[in-house]
Amino acid sequence: RYWKDCAASVWKNGKMELGDIQVSHVKRPGMYFNTRGTSIIDCILKPLMYRDKLRSAQYSIADRHISPSEFYFIGEQGDPADEDELEKFQNALVASWTQPNRAIIWHHAVRVQWEGASGKMLPLQPEFEMIDNQILTGLMVSKGIIFAEGPTFANSSVALDILIQRYLSFRMQIEKWLENCV
């Protein structure tokens, strides 16, 4: 009877009540009034988003290295170029753009400048180190465990013991849930 009611409810796109035997969940610690607890990813979401923004900035700067902007200055202080001369130079550039031996012969009052990102890289190493520290703290892991850093093995082993204790307490929660609900 129960399964027939459930199937009928599903076919009608309605609510299906499940008993305590069919459904249970293990709640991660968090606010008392939260239904599901707080995800561990919530602790590190902002640093991850910031890291992604910095990576996007580096991509933009790398694009400027690959294709720098070209500036053509035609004319001199006392003798500026007129519209006709600018149009002729632009047509000469366009005509030579697809030629394998691009060479433009023009008078002495032309100066070319390429502006790229040379010398304009962002110093992001300290930022990335700060973000990595925030992420490791949010995940409750130390650098000593991940990178084997630290002055002695004892420092890393203490951090590893703390992490193991956290995992064991979570394992105990799962064991109790399995014993009581499954």
Side-chain angles (χ1 to χ4, degrees), residues 141-153:
V141 179
S142 72
K143 270 189 175 179
I145 295 171
I146 302 295
F147 302 114
E149 290 181 351
T152 62
F153 174 74

Side-chain angles (χ1 to χ4, degrees), residues 130-162:
M130 179 198 65
I131 292 169
D132 288 344
N133 288 337
Q134 289 176 345
I135 290 171
L136 290 172
T137 302
L139 295 175
M140 294 180 281
V141 179
S142 72
K143 270 189 175 179
I145 295 171
I146 302 295
F147 302 114
E149 290 181 351
T152 62
F153 174 74
N155 290 348
S156 296
S157 65
V158 169
L160 186 60
D161 287 341
I162 291 170

Side-chain angles (χ1 to χ4, degrees), residues 45-63 120-135:
L45 188 59
K46 285 185 183 179
L48 286 173
M49 290 169 47
Y50 180 53
R51 185 182 186 99
D52 192 49
K53 285 287 186 190
L54 293 177
R55 194 178 0 244
S56 295
Q58 287 294 71
Y59 285 148
S60 298
I61 291 171
D63 284 343
K120 296 181 174 97
M121 295 300 283
L122 294 174
L124 294 180
Q125 189 61 32
E127 292 289 322
F128 283 136
E129 286 178 9
M130 179 198 65
I131 292 169
D132 288 344
N133 288 337
Q134 289 176 345
I135 290 171

